Amino acid sequence: MAVETRASAYQTAQRRFDAAADVIGLSDDTRRTLREVKRELTVHFPVRMDDGSVHVFTGWRVQHNISRGPAKGGIRYHPQANLELVKALAMLMTWKCAAVGIPYGGSKGAVACDPTKLSLNELEHLTRRFATEIAILIGPEKDIPAPDMGTNPQVMAWIMDTISMHSGHSVTASVTGKPVDVGGSEGRTDAPGRGATYLTLEALKYLHFDDQTPTVAIQGFGQVGRSAARLLDEAGLTIVAVSDSKGAIHNPKGLDLSALEEHRQVRGGVGGFKKAESITNEELLELPVTVLVPAAIEQQITEDNAGKIRARLVTEGANAAVTPEADQILHDRGIFLVPDIIANAGGVIVSYFEWVQDLQAFFWEEEEINTKLHHVITRAFYEILHMSVNKHIDMRLAAYALAVQRVANATTVRGIYP
Ligand code: NAD
């Protein structure tokens, strides 16, 4: 079962690539090159645990492509992480960076571990040793890690410090998503949710919906979901439902987000919020809202429920929340999708800004960062929309086609060495 899941993540990534390659008529030579990852490093490394025992962990760093610039991609700590999944995620990063036009290739890293079961001390030792093991690949000009599932700004600070200790001086540009105190960027925490908000507003403008006050349901109330909820609410939309892994709540008149935030901090989740009724996560996905934002985990809208989605616009905040089969069903039903590759790209765009600020040792105000984010992500949206309309393809395929074309151009013009 686990092996099947592993195979399918990379196969799905290659399947999406093949479809995009067909759209742009990619040559067989370039297709063979881009279909594979460039480098894959597997490391097994010992960590001394708090009880004195030694545990050997396995981790990976994969670079899919570096034709357009240094590789960029997060590091995930998760028990089910594996090489095939990391390869798939590295490939997705190549397309994501190219789709939004930032000068990076794509990479990803992971350690198979459950960070919730490690002490802070064990987490730090694991992180510093893993950073040392992959130090032959990473660095500001080569490959720049960032947080992903199970990692956070503190983990990034440890990686930056480890690389800096090896170099004998501070190398702040070696990772992004760091705390602001050590070269992190203003606006980074909200960036994925902010990008999703900007694109939801652009899509609504394009679609000319006549809803007086568009309503929104958000699955997942974590970093992406909470930022999106707050910012969409500030933009005048009505958030009628949200959920987390423990439950979902609904109030057709709109949720009081500041009261909900207080409730979440006390209760540790959205469940039991008094000013709303409890529903299931499945019901949340099928509510008759203007906008649905899946911002939790992958494979939430599938061939089983895509026919029941009643939102008119889906902004895919979480990576791979919609399966390829569901893509087709949503498209056939006239439901507009803003795909993950751009919907949550605010994170990597502001990571790029962080790297640029670190390299020039000159930091920008949050307002400037948000303005630049708006420019980059909105430009990408309209370029992809243009491709989608011109080629009569859905937004995801259009995003992939545009991205693959950019990477193929860079790969071809550079030629094959030697
Ligand atoms: P997070 O861990 O902060 O939040 C995830 C939320 O989803 C939590 O509220 C959790 O309880 C909820 N959840 C988990 N399983 C659920 C389920 N079955 N039903 C409903 N809710 C469920 O994670 P995040 O950083 O917000 O990331 C969410 C998604 O966005 C992931 O796919 C991630 O890869 C993607 N993403 C995150 C960033 C980022 O910078 N945080 C950037 C780009 C993409």
Side-chain angles (χ1 to χ4, degrees):
M1 173 67 192
V3 173
E4 249 174 57
T5 313
R6 285 207 281 272
S8 69
Y10 193 47
Q11 282 166 354
T12 302
Q14 289 187 316
R15 193 170 136 197
R16 291 206 192 275
F17 163 73
D18 287 338
D22 288 344
V23 169
I24 60 170
L26 194 64
S27 75
D28 285 348
D29 288 349
T30 311
R31 192 185 285 242
R32 275 196 296 274
T33 309
L34 297 183
R35 215 169 179 274
E36 298 299 338
V37 301
K38 179 180 174 66
R39 296 185 178 123
E40 46 189 88
L41 173 66
T42 300
V43 295
H44 307 283
F45 57 98
V47 176
R48 191 168 298 284
M49 310 302 276
D50 289 348
D51 64 4
S53 66
V54 171
H55 189 99
V56 176
F57 289 90
T58 299
W60 304 269
R61 186 71 185 173
V62 173
Q63 295 173 352
H64 169 254
N65 188 279
I66 53 170
S67 296
R68 299 179 61 257
K72 186 89 188 79
I75 291 181
R76 176 174 292 197
Y77 289 173
H78 193 272
Q80 265 98 50
N82 59 74
L83 179 58
E84 291 301 301
L85 178 65
V86 179
K87 284 166 66 173
L89 295 170
M91 189 191 262
L92 178 63
M93 284 306 297
T94 301
W95 311 139
K96 192 177 282 191
C97 293
V100 296
I102 54 175
Y104 283 142
S107 59
K108 205 79 179 189
V111 177
C113 68
D114 183 348
T116 63
K117 300 221 166 83
L118 298 173
S119 71
L120 200 63
N121 184 51
E122 289 167 341
L123 198 61
E124 178 174 355
H125 281 94
L126 177 145
T127 299
R128 289 185 180 278
R129 180 62 188 250
F130 178 59
T132 304
E133 296 289 344
I134 63 170
I136 51 172
L137 286 183
I138 63 175
E141 291 98 25
K142 297 193 290 186
D143 183 359
I144 305 116
D148 192 71
M149 270 155 82
T151 59
N152 56 28
Q154 173 62 79
V155 171
M156 295 307 113
W158 288 327
I159 297 177
M160 188 278 272
D161 186 67
T162 302
I163 301 297
S164 300
M165 288 300 117
H166 293 174
S167 308
H169 59 94
S170 290
V171 192
T172 52
S174 52
V175 295
T176 61
K178 304 179 293 295
V180 171
D181 295 330
V182 287
S185 178
E186 297 291 347
R188 174 63 181 85
T189 310
D190 268 340
R194 187 176 290 279
T197 299
Y198 289 154
L199 295 192
T200 300
L201 299 177
E202 288 306 324
L204 287 174
K205 221 189 308 174
Y206 165 70
L207 294 165
H208 294 300
F209 288 157
D210 50 10
D211 310 28
Q212 288 289 330
T213 309
T215 52
V216 185
I218 300 181
Q219 185 201 36
F221 207 53
Q223 193 181 315
V224 178
R226 286 212 315 284
S227 295
R230 195 185 82 245
L231 295 165
L232 286 166
D233 181 73
E234 279 172 22
L237 282 73
T238 304
I239 316 300
V240 295
V242 299
S243 68
D244 58 28
S245 57
K246 295 192 196 112
I249 53 167
H250 178 219
N251 181 344
K253 295 204 182 97
L255 295 166
D256 176 346
L257 291 183
S258 39
L260 179 60
E261 188 54 37
E262 277 173 34
H263 170 90
R264 190 190 70 87
Q265 282 178 13
V266 175
R267 297 283 291 271
V270 300
F273 183 58
K274 284 208 182 72
K275 300 177 185 169
E277 57 158 336
S278 287
I279 55 170
T280 63
N281 251 301
E282 291 71 33
E283 286 168 337
L284 177 139
L285 294 173
E286 294 164 19
L287 284 173
V289 286
T290 319
V291 187
L292 173 64
V293 185
I297 50 170
E298 59 286 345
Q299 301 198 343
Q300 292 303 293
I301 303 178
T302 66
E303 57 194 322
D304 296 333
N305 62 357
K308 299 184 213 152
I309 302 295
R310 285 187 284 168
R312 302 162 80 186
L313 162 65
V314 175
T315 303
E316 195 182 20
N319 283 320
V322 184
T323 63
E325 295 74 21
D327 267 356
Q328 189 61 49
I329 298 170
L330 295 184
H331 185 66
D332 292 346
R333 295 184 57 224
I335 297 171
F336 191 85
L337 174 76
V338 180
D340 56 1
I341 183 170
I342 47 168
N344 64 34
V348 75
I349 294 169
V350 175
S351 269
Y352 165 58
F353 296 160
E354 179 176 336
W355 178 75
V356 169
Q357 291 171 85
D358 287 335
L359 288 177
Q360 60 185 14
F362 181 68
F363 290 85
W364 313 336
E365 304 282 332
E366 181 168 355
E367 198 187 338
E368 187 175 356
I369 285 158
N370 294 342
T371 305
K372 285 183 160 73
L373 167 62
H374 184 265
H375 171 74
V376 171
I377 207 161
T378 311
R379 179 188 62 196
F381 175 78
Y382 284 106
E383 284 171 345
I384 291 163
L385 185 61
H386 192 70
M387 169 83 90
S388 161
V389 172
N390 277 353
K391 299 238 179 225
H392 307 288
I393 53 180
D394 68 35
M395 285 289 282
R396 190 189 311 275
L397 186 53
Y400 269 72
L402 187 79
V404 170
Q405 184 69 69
R406 285 179 178 158
V407 179
N409 289 349
T411 304
T412 311
V413 78
R414 284 179 64 154
I416 296 177
Y417 175 86

